[in-house]
Amino acid sequence: MSHRTARPRAVPASGADSASAWRSGRKRLRDHSVKRDAVIRVAARAFNERGFHNTSLDDIAAALEVTKPTIYYYVTNKEQLLFQCFVTGLEPIRAALNDVKMSQAPGRERLNAVLRQYAQAIASEFGWCMVRAEHQDLSPSMSEHIRALKAEIDQGIRRLLREGVRDGSIQPCDVKMTAFALAGALNWIPHWFREKQALTPAQIADAFVTLFEEGLRPRPTRARAPRRPAARAPNL
Amino acid sequence: MSHRTARPRAVPASGADSASAWRSGRKRLRDHSVKRDAVIRVAARAFNERGFHNTSLDDIAAALEVTKPTIYYYVTNKEQLLFQCFVTGLEPIRAALNDVKMSQAPGRERLNAVLRQYAQAIASEFGWCMVRAEHQDLSPSMSEHIRALKAEIDQGIRRLLREGVRDGSIQPCDVKMTAFALAGALNWIPHWFREKQALTPAQIADAFVTLFEEGLRPRPTRARAPRRPAARAPNL
């Protein structure tokens, strides 16, 4: 079983006409990927609404208006669906951590970029699975894979905090506790967020990043500081 | 069924010797309360370790080295035990909110006092029940009572934030999002906290309150600001 995310990927452009023989194959692969993504997305919504144990593959097939054997074409069992929900939800956070590795921006800015992606990922339909689903519902190897992904994200956030402290863009702090506090605030989002509420995930991310960055205590000279202080002289 | 917490309370001192007739009755009540508290505490630990569904009243009786009928002397069923774990865990937070109502301190200081109590309550053995247990495992009336308690705590935190913004001790903010972020960071503690780890609940509370208060961005004139800035001139 592949551990890779099932998100649809753009088919790479090919300059060679001779590649036409591959096209139908590629299209089939893409269709398979798109449909598998739809199965996982519908499963995530169902688990969110009813809980993992109260959702059957029949329910998911019914929601997709397909037969259960069709579902088996994309996943082997419900456990694998839950696993894919985890992976699909966690992947954008991991991708954001990789993206900022290339950046020369101060640690705090890179951290904020990751936290914004994190907030959006966790406010997605995969949020519930990412934070509420139990590891005991997964096979040991799946559970181990998810733990490793989560540890990678946790370590990535701690690394950005350390780098920010080192470059002066982040106040010296207990890096481990701070990472737990930031992740906790974000991981709690699925407990209260509803898709139809007033704020979008991006707006929630903004409000959270502002709080983490500015703190509750008014700042002497910038009580109404801009949200992107990095645009000013750093480390004043 | 009483909705009050089962925490043992000190027997009020009585000046009257004639009260002696009551003493044995009071002592019995106190013993009952102490033992009931022990049952709830052991249940909380068992739910935490094995999950609510995987824990039986037999398991709890075995952990207490008593018979199951003895457990029934204190609670009527497992659902009621879970309910009492919720209430016992939430009660100190509610009490902290009530305590600060009398205080004349700035909003931020009063909020910090509540957040410290909150962190300690959630790092207690009841933490898991407070954040991981599902409302569907409770009867509708129990679930409604817990929801009301949680709403009271949420509203109490929002009120302190608003009061802090009004008295100038808290930076103007989106009060609802800020309350969600603070509660989320704290509610996540049972996911990573283990009793035998290096930091005590009070130290975790300190680290969290410092982050919420100071933010990650270094403060121009107080990069190494004290943890209790209210001891200085307020609202600088």
Side-chain angles (χ1 to χ4, degrees):
Chain A
M1 186 197 60
S2 164
H3 278 172
R4 292 190 63 77
T5 168
R7 307 198 106 193
R9 292 171 190 283
V11 176
S14 164
D17 273 342
S18 62
S20 63
W22 287 92
R23 278 197 191 125
S24 61
R26 276 211 205 100
K27 188 171 178 307
R28 247 200 324 272
L29 270 177
R30 192 179 50 191
D31 284 356
H32 184 274
S33 174
V34 166
K35 284 179 184 165
R36 191 158 178 269
D37 187 54
V39 173
I40 292 163
R41 213 167 277 273
V42 164
R45 291 215 165 116
F47 296 156
N48 187 355
E49 279 163 23
R50 296 175 230 182
F52 178 71
H53 292 283
N54 299 326
T55 305
S56 67
L57 281 184
D58 283 312
D59 295 331
I60 294 165
L64 282 161
E65 298 180 8
V66 300
T67 62
K68 197 152 89 173
T70 309
I71 300 275
Y72 284 124
Y73 185 59
Y74 300 100
V75 287
T76 50
N77 53 34
K78 201 171 75 160
E79 184 183 52
Q80 204 199 346
L81 267 178
L82 181 62
F83 174 75
Q84 289 298 342
C85 289
F86 262 116
V87 174
T88 313
L90 292 171
E91 192 58 36
I93 306 175
R94 197 184 173 208
L97 278 165
N98 278 331
D99 285 351
V100 299
K101 274 187 188 157
M102 311 299 169
S103 164
Q104 299 298 311
R108 195 180 72 241
E109 270 184 65
R110 283 181 286 140
L111 175 69
N112 287 349
V114 170
L115 296 179
R116 280 179 215 281
Q117 274 296 319
Y118 197 135
Q120 302 217 37
I122 211 115
S124 76
E125 59 268 73
F126 301 106
W128 181 90
C129 293
M130 290 157 74
V131 301
R132 296 289 291 171
E134 300 284 351
H135 278 262
Q136 59 250 41
D137 293 329
L138 296 173
S139 72
S141 69
M142 289 176 180
S143 178
E144 192 38 55
H145 187 84
I146 298 298
R147 266 186 230 285
L149 266 182
K150 286 183 174 175
E152 187 185 329
I153 292 168
D154 179 40
Q155 290 302 325
I157 289 176
R158 292 191 202 186
R159 192 180 58 241
L160 289 173
L161 283 167
R162 275 193 302 270
E163 289 172 7
V165 170
R166 211 158 35 225
D167 70 24
S169 62
I170 290 178
Q171 178 136 305
C173 60
D174 181 325
V175 162
K176 188 174 162 189
M177 285 301 112
T178 302
F180 278 146
L182 300 179
L186 294 164
N187 290 343
W188 201 249
I189 291 176
H191 283 80
W192 54 266
F193 178 69
R194 298 294 168 267
E195 273 181 67
K196 286 177 188 155
Q197 73 180 40
L199 292 184
T200 64
Q203 289 170 319
I204 294 167
D206 273 346
F208 275 39
V209 166
T210 302
L211 168 67
F212 299 151
E213 188 161 54
E214 301 296 320
L216 294 173
R217 191 159 63 87
R219 294 195 174 246
T221 54
R222 328 186 194 186
R224 291 170 187 281
R227 291 199 169 182
R228 296 171 187 272
R232 300 185 162 202
N235 311 335
L236 277 181
Chain B
M1 187 197 62
S2 165
H3 278 170
R4 293 191 62 78
T5 169
R7 306 198 107 194
R9 291 170 192 283
V11 177
S14 163
D17 273 341
S18 63
S20 64
W22 286 93
R23 278 196 190 127
S24 62
R26 274 208 208 102
K27 187 170 180 308
R28 249 200 322 274
L29 270 176
R30 190 180 51 190
D31 284 354
H32 185 274
S33 173
V34 167
K35 285 178 184 166
R36 192 157 178 269
D37 186 54
V39 172
I40 293 163
R41 212 167 277 272
V42 164
R45 292 215 164 117
F47 296 157
N48 187 355
E49 279 163 24
R50 296 175 228 181
F52 178 70
H53 291 283
N54 300 327
T55 306
S56 67
L57 282 184
D58 283 313
D59 295 330
I60 294 164
L64 283 160
E65 297 181 6
V66 301
T67 62
K68 197 152 88 173
T70 309
I71 301 275
Y72 284 125
Y73 185 59
Y74 300 100
V75 289
T76 50
N77 52 35
K78 199 171 76 159
E79 184 182 53
Q80 203 200 345
L81 266 178
L82 181 63
F83 174 75
Q84 288 298 343
C85 289
F86 262 116
V87 174
T88 311
L90 292 171
E91 191 58 36
I93 308 175
R94 196 186 176 207
L97 278 164
N98 278 332
D99 285 350
V100 299
K101 273 186 188 158
M102 310 299 170
S103 163
Q104 299 298 310
R108 196 181 70 242
E109 270 184 66
R110 281 180 289 139
L111 175 69
N112 287 349
V114 170
L115 296 178
R116 280 178 214 280
Q117 273 295 318
Y118 197 135
Q120 303 216 38
I122 212 115
S124 76
E125 58 267 75
F126 301 106
W128 181 90
C129 294
M130 289 158 75
V131 301
R132 294 290 291 173
E134 300 284 351
H135 278 263
Q136 59 251 41
D137 293 328
L138 296 172
S139 71
S141 69
M142 288 177 182
S143 178
E144 193 38 56
H145 187 83
I146 298 296
R147 266 185 228 287
L149 266 181
K150 286 183 173 176
E152 187 185 329
I153 292 168
D154 179 41
Q155 291 302 323
I157 289 175
R158 294 190 200 185
R159 190 180 59 242
L160 288 174
L161 283 166
R162 276 194 300 273
E163 289 172 7
V165 170
R166 212 159 35 228
D167 69 26
S169 62
I170 290 177
Q171 179 136 302
C173 60
D174 181 325
V175 163
K176 190 175 161 188
M177 286 301 111
T178 302
F180 279 147
L182 299 180
L186 294 164
N187 290 344
W188 201 251
I189 291 176
H191 283 80
W192 54 265
F193 179 67
R194 298 294 168 266
E195 273 182 68
K196 286 177 188 154
Q197 72 181 41
L199 292 185
T200 64
Q203 289 170 319
I204 294 167
D206 273 346
F208 276 39
V209 166
T210 301
L211 167 68
F212 299 151
E213 188 161 54
E214 301 296 321
L216 293 174
R217 189 159 65 85
R219 296 201 171 240
T221 54
R222 326 187 196 186
R224 293 173 185 277
R227 291 200 167 179
R228 295 170 188 272
R232 300 184 162 203
N235 311 334
L236 279 179

